[in-house]
Amino acid sequence: MKNYFESIYGNADSIRYFTDAIESGRLAHAYILEGPAGCGKRTFAKAIAAQRVRHSPFAERIPRDASPDLAYFGLIEKKKTVGVDTVRALKSAVYIKPSELDAKFFILTDCHLMTEQAQNAALKILEEPPQGVYFFLCTENASALLPTVRSRAQTVRMQIFSDEELACYAVEDPSLKQLSTHDPQAFAQIIRNAGGCLGGLKHTAQGKDSSLFESRAKELISLLDVGQYLPLFLFCSKVADSRSQLEALLEQASLGLRDVLAIRINPHAALMFYTDAAVAEQAASHLSDRSILAVITEMERTRGELAGNPNLKGMLALLADALFRATQN
């Protein structure tokens, strides 16, 4: 039987607590999950819910937000606070019987933004919900909740990771692992920017972080400038794990080379990739204008063929050959 806590990184003490509470039938009807944005409050709430109904064939729908018995209530678009209307809607939903499971789960987001009136309105339903109803109040700061609300739910603090712990987790992602090797400073900056939260780190990786592709693009331009085939081939053979990654890399490298050409024509030209004109001027100093144009042409041609070519490895090998030939112009 699947253990839904296996997908949670860290938080060992909380996992042990909830595992024992579920197995002994002592899971409370309400919990406050506290931690900064991106620390995994909602992910953890869904893991608790799925583990509670793990015997059901529909349990696996909860982590995917595909269960009709899981609902979110929180900040409404263009609103700055969570008001009474949200609580009224919550109360109406609470009394609707479950569709697939033997329980219903409500994740209340941004609870630190709940007005005092909204919190007071929620007191009774938090204190005496229907049987089989569970609430998870996600907040960045539990002290923003009224004492009467805090008294009705146990507060669980999400783990905030040290930079060292976050770095160990980060290198499990192939893209970030490669960045840690090619550009340790950029990797360290990403770790610091994550603020000890996996959400911040995952957003960086899934969003195809610009620092990663900027670093790779600079390395590619440097290899083209050196003009040696073998280092270029080895770089291209492992530079991307997907067509989308390759497209992002080629786009950045192409912008970098365009900056080189622009600076050669006008030292005060606006840059699209480099932040320093002197760096752009030296980036491909051994390549002629004709060679740079040929390289850009090959990069654009490859980008245009990405959608229709499923053989990524073959494309990477051909790319290395094409780029090397272009540098010989």
Side-chain angles (χ1 to χ4, degrees), residues 37-169:
C39 71
K41 298 183 289 292
R42 285 182 290 183
T43 300
F44 194 42
K46 289 188 289 185
I48 297 169
Q51 190 68 12
R52 159 63 177 78
V53 295
R54 65 195 182 282
H55 298 287
S56 169
F58 301 110
E60 62 181 16
R61 297 188 182 185
I62 290 179
R64 296 186 284 113
D65 288 326
S67 173
D69 297 321
L70 171 72
Y72 292 90
F73 287 85
L75 195 63
I76 299 174
E77 188 177 1
K78 297 183 180 180
K79 295 285 187 179
K80 295 182 179 180
T81 58
V82 179
V84 175
D85 288 345
T86 297
V87 176
R88 289 173 181 157
L90 171 65
K91 286 182 176 180
S92 298
V94 161
Y95 290 100
I96 300 174
K97 292 183 178 180
S99 299
E100 298 176 340
L101 306 170
D102 65 348
K104 293 193 70 170
F105 304 94
F106 295 91
I107 298 178
L108 283 61
T109 62
D110 305 301
C111 288
H112 52 285
L113 299 178
M114 288 183 72
T115 64
E116 183 174 339
Q117 292 85 352
Q119 293 185 53
N120 282 321
L123 284 176
K124 184 171 180 59
I125 195 66
L126 289 175
E127 187 173 21
E128 298 178 0
Q131 186 174 1
V133 170
Y134 298 89
F135 299 102
F136 300 98
L137 285 69
C138 299
T139 178
E140 294 182 13
N141 182 11
S143 63
L145 298 175
L146 297 173
T148 47
V149 173
R150 297 200 302 272
S151 69
R152 285 162 171 76
Q154 180 178 338
T155 298
V156 177
R157 292 177 176 82
M158 300 297 296
Q159 182 176 350
I160 304 302
F161 300 96
S162 66
D163 286 354
E164 291 76 15
E165 291 170 325
L166 212 55
C168 290
Y169 178 85

Side-chain angles (χ1 to χ4, degrees), residues 235-291:
F235 173 85
C236 287
S237 66
K238 59 182 180 181
V239 73
D241 298 319
S242 67
R243 289 192 291 274
S244 61
Q245 287 187 3
L246 179 56
E247 181 176 14
L249 167 68
L250 293 176
E251 179 183 15
Q252 292 292 306
S254 179
L255 288 175
L257 291 172
R258 292 175 193 274
D259 279 353
V260 173
L261 291 176
I263 288 298
R264 289 180 181 180
I265 298 171
N266 177 9
H268 303 291
L271 301 178
M272 296 182 289
F273 177 77
Y274 291 101
T275 57
D276 190 304
V279 174
E281 187 176 8
Q282 294 297 318
S285 58
H286 296 96
L287 294 177
S288 66
D289 291 357
R290 183 177 179 181
S291 294

Side-chain angles (χ1 to χ4, degrees), residues 166-189:
L166 212 55
C168 290
Y169 178 85
V171 294
E172 295 179 10
D173 179 274
S175 297
L176 289 175
K177 183 176 182 179
Q178 202 165 43
L179 180 64
S180 70
T181 301
H182 295 316
D183 194 340
Q185 289 186 341
F187 178 77
Q189 186 62 49

Side-chain angles (χ1 to χ4, degrees), residues 3 27 33-34 56 67 115 189 202 214 260:
N3 179 1
L27 186 67
L33 302 182
E34 180 186 38
S56 169
S67 173
T115 64
Q189 186 62 49
K202 290 180 178 179
E214 179 182 330
V260 173

